[in-house]
Amino acid sequence: MIRLNRVLYFPMSPELQPGLRFAWQYTVPARATVPQLYHDTPFCRDMPDVLATGYLVGMMELACVHGMLPFLDWPREQSLGTMVNFRHLAPTPPGMMLRIEGEVTEVDGQRVRFKVHASDGQERICEGTHERCVIDTERFEQRVARKRQAALGEAAV
């Protein structure tokens, strides 16, 4: 246990190091297409029935979470995305299997950076970089509760 700025931080496993590689597979559900994901936005209902970029970004993030899981004291220690930089290269219809592969490129304290790419069995559909920050879940939830309470107090004024 380390004390940083009056905060207790329980460091993740020292085995989470640059060079660590991982892979994760996910079948694209119909709900992940542009018309389904944004069904409440009229002009989106007429868009192509392919994997939405917003959903794909989430899958790229989840692949990184999956790669980190063995090195975290889950659920007490989790991670949150702090940066995404992805290029969506090709369309993918629902029902296709995504294979997302990644590599840890840097670990700097609580921050972990990744290089990630995804393919759909026919072609590469996404590539880029991602950063996650390891958090103490209890402390984070307390912070969110304080923020929620402050927002409720402002709304009452």
Side-chain angles (χ1 to χ4, degrees), residues 106-119:
E106 184 179 349
V107 178
D108 181 14
Q110 294 171 260
R111 298 198 181 281
V112 182
R113 293 185 182 91
F114 304 88
K115 180 171 62 174
V116 194
H117 66 271
S119 61

Side-chain angles (χ1 to χ4, degrees), residues 48-117:
D49 195 35
V50 294
L51 176 61
T53 301
Y55 201 94
L56 175 58
V57 168
M59 293 303 91
M60 300 292 276
E61 284 195 88
L62 289 180
C64 293
V65 171
H66 185 262
M68 292 177 74
L69 276 176
F71 305 96
L72 299 177
D73 182 17
W74 192 275
R76 188 183 62 78
E77 189 176 54
Q78 296 184 27
S79 69
L80 299 173
T82 54
M83 186 277 300
V84 294
N85 182 18
F86 295 122
R87 292 181 34 211
H88 193 166
L89 306 170
T92 302
M96 293 189 79
M97 175 74 73
L98 298 184
R99 179 170 174 82
I100 304 171
E101 298 180 24
E103 179 179 351
V104 174
T105 59
E106 184 179 349
V107 178
D108 181 14
Q110 294 171 260
R111 298 198 181 281
V112 182
R113 293 185 182 91
F114 304 88
K115 180 171 62 174
V116 194
H117 66 271

Side-chain angles (χ1 to χ4, degrees), residues 112-149:
V112 182
R113 293 185 182 91
F114 304 88
K115 180 171 62 174
V116 194
H117 66 271
S119 61
D120 63 12
Q122 293 188 14
E123 61 187 327
R124 183 174 282 204
I125 65 158
C126 188
E127 62 188 14
T129 57
H130 180 45
E131 179 183 272
R132 300 195 68 76
C133 183
V134 175
I135 62 161
D136 177 288
T137 307
E138 183 179 338
R139 277 192 337 115
F140 184 81
E141 289 174 355
Q142 290 170 357
R143 179 179 174 190
V144 172
R146 286 191 302 273
K147 188 173 188 175
R148 184 179 296 114
Q149 196 66 311

